[in-house]
Amino acid sequence: MRKYIFLSLAAALFSLGMQAQPRISFSETQHDFGQIMWRNPAQTIFRVRNTGNQPLEIKAVEPDCGCTLVSWDQSSIAPGAEGKIIAKYDAELLGHFYKGIAVYTNIGENPYYINLVGHVVIPSEGKAENFPVHLGDKWLSTENVEFDDVRRGDRPERTVEVFNAGKKPMTLGLMHLPQYLDADIQPSVLHPGRKAKIKLTLKSDAIMNMGLTQASVYLSTYTGERINRNNEINVSVTLLPDNNYSEPTLKYAPIAHLDTTSVDLGSLGTKKRLRTQLCLTNEGKTPLVVSTLQVYNAGISVSLDRRQIKPGEKAKMKIIVNNSTLQFKGRRRILLITNDPKTPKLAIDVNVKK
């Protein structure tokens, strides 16, 4: 009988021990940040409720990587009360992430797990539409820089933006910079997910000839990088003559008129070349002189049957586009510089499909 009473009492005490303990409940066991910006840390709070009848102690909170920082209430959580665990993700890596956090308590040896999920994206300044030229991990706002309608003495500026879409820093530099260009790159060390600005300043006094001057500069991302088509930026300058003309001169000046300033030649396909013809008319009162006739693209050839056109007369312009034009970067244009004081520059866009 005594043995039976002893066993019954032990069972009752054991049952009470099983019932008298803390229990843990989380406001959520997985938090979804959705989209967050690269290198903009995101933080959330997990609410912890003690649903048991004994104090709950959070002994340790251990994230599965150094990318997550945590803090929590160090004091015991009374039955029915709440504590909190703060979790902060550093967002240093692009892409989707799933991070686990182990929560150790006085309930037992095994931890409870809470999780962080989300998607780290490039900031809006790094969206592909802002950088249409993709040269590997270098994304550029343009690979064709034009200084149009420049007069001697001008110092115009152009900006090329560069975005680092890779995972390693880039040390930016410009190779083969001509003497008539100054370049300023800020910042010169471009970290992943960031953009830099290359400011190009033209020193027009250093250009010798009127009309079109072209050069290629090469964007390097590390010391010792070689030049190639994948880091080439085209630079073109159109230097115009001075436009200081008196009223009598303007009254009797030549006037240049083209049939069109845009030519659509269709598709090259398997053809070796495409041809077309335009007319340049002098609608003024004195002879029109074409001093410069140039092309922006080496795959285009152009000729005029005469360079001096009397008032009321026309000159025939023949344009031939070779299939090699598709190998060259930049716009396909033809440039004419004339003695028309009001319109000294005429440009013809030549449109060709593959």
Side-chain angles (χ1 to χ4, degrees):
M1 182 68 180
R2 290 180 180 178
K3 182 178 181 181
Y4 174 77
I5 294 173
F6 175 78
L7 290 175
S8 298
L9 181 60
L13 290 173
F14 179 77
S15 176
L16 287 172
M18 289 292 291
Q19 294 177 3
Q21 64 178 355
R23 295 182 183 277
I24 191 168
S25 174
F26 296 96
S27 55
E28 57 179 348
T29 56
Q30 179 167 293
H31 181 78
D32 189 349
F33 286 112
Q35 282 194 352
I36 57 178
M37 293 296 109
W38 184 78
R39 284 192 171 176
N40 284 313
Q43 178 176 293
T44 190
I45 296 176
F46 291 91
R47 301 290 177 182
V48 182
R49 176 175 285 276
N50 183 359
T51 58
N53 53 19
Q54 293 294 317
L56 172 66
E57 295 179 8
I58 299 177
K59 294 183 176 181
V61 179
E62 299 178 358
D64 61 8
C65 83
C67 58
T68 306
L69 297 177
V70 296
S71 62
W72 66 95
D73 291 330
Q74 302 290 328
S75 57
S76 298
I77 304 172
E82 276 191 356
K84 62 185 178 181
I85 297 173
I86 301 174
K88 187 175 184 180
Y89 181 64
D90 65 10
E92 286 288 333
L93 294 177
L94 295 172
H96 293 277
F97 64 89
Y98 182 97
K99 301 299 175 183
I101 302 171
V103 180
Y104 292 88
T105 70
N106 62 335
I107 296 175
E109 294 183 359
N110 295 327
Y112 295 86
Y113 286 95
I114 52 180
N115 304 294
L116 302 176
V117 298
H119 185 201
V120 180
V121 297
I122 297 171
S124 58
E125 65 180 20
K127 288 185 177 179
E129 57 265 30
N130 298 331
F131 299 88
V133 181
H134 294 181
L135 305 177
D137 289 336
K138 301 188 296 288
W139 292 8
L140 275 63
S141 58
T142 182
E143 58 181 344
N144 188 43
V145 178
E146 297 180 355
F147 292 92
D148 271 347
D149 301 344
V150 177
R151 308 281 181 177
R152 197 170 298 282
D154 292 348
R155 291 180 62 89
E157 296 177 351
R158 299 290 184 270
T159 300
V160 178
E161 293 188 334
V162 184
F163 180 79
N164 184 352
K167 296 182 179 180
K168 297 179 180 180
M170 299 176 178
T171 302
L172 301 181
L174 279 182
M175 302 179 287
H176 289 207
L177 195 69
Q179 63 178 1
Y180 55 81
L181 279 180
D182 284 336
D184 178 55
I185 304 175
Q186 295 295 336
S188 59
V189 176
L190 182 58
H191 292 281
R194 299 298 191 189
K195 73 174 182 180
K197 291 185 177 182
I198 303 174
K199 184 174 73 173
L200 296 172
T201 303
L202 176 67
K203 298 179 289 186
S204 60
D205 287 334
I207 297 178
M208 300 300 296
N209 301 318
M210 292 291 167
L212 177 65
T213 299
Q214 289 181 299
S216 291
V217 297
Y218 298 88
L219 177 62
S220 62
T221 55
Y222 59 89
T223 302
E225 184 174 3
R226 296 183 177 182
I227 63 172
N228 58 69
R229 285 181 55 82
N230 285 332
N231 57 13
E232 180 184 12
I233 299 174
N234 292 322
V235 180
S236 62
V237 181
T238 305
L239 186 63
L240 302 181
D242 293 333
N243 58 351
N244 296 322
Y245 297 97
S246 63
E247 285 297 325
T249 301
L250 292 174
K251 183 177 181 180
Y252 294 99
I255 300 174
H257 175 75
L258 279 168
D259 291 344
T260 182
T261 56
S262 180
V263 176
D264 291 308
L265 295 182
S267 175
L268 267 165
T270 58
K271 301 174 185 176
K272 291 184 178 180
R273 61 184 61 89
L274 298 171
R275 303 173 184 267
T276 192
Q277 182 172 292
L278 300 179
C279 285
L280 174 63
T281 305
N282 181 3
E283 298 181 346
K285 297 180 179 180
T286 52
L288 176 69
V289 178
V290 179
S291 58
T292 299
L293 181 62
Q294 296 173 296
V295 295
Y296 286 69
N297 187 297
I300 300 174
S301 59
V302 61
S303 63
L304 273 173
D305 63 359
R306 53 186 147 161
R307 293 290 191 99
Q308 185 165 317
I309 309 167
K310 295 179 180 180
E313 294 187 355
K314 298 181 179 181
K316 294 180 180 179
M317 179 187 299
K318 293 182 180 179
I319 302 172
I320 301 175
V321 178
N322 300 308
N323 55 14
S324 62
T325 187
L326 302 176
Q327 302 174 14
F328 296 91
K329 296 181 179 181
R331 294 168 62 182
R332 300 179 184 92
R333 289 206 298 176
I334 299 169
L335 173 68
L336 296 87
I337 301 293
T338 74
N339 62 336
D340 180 345
K342 290 188 176 181
T343 314
K345 182 196 82 172
L346 295 171
I348 304 168
D349 287 301
V350 180
N351 303 307
V352 179
K353 297 179 182 178
K354 293 184 180 180

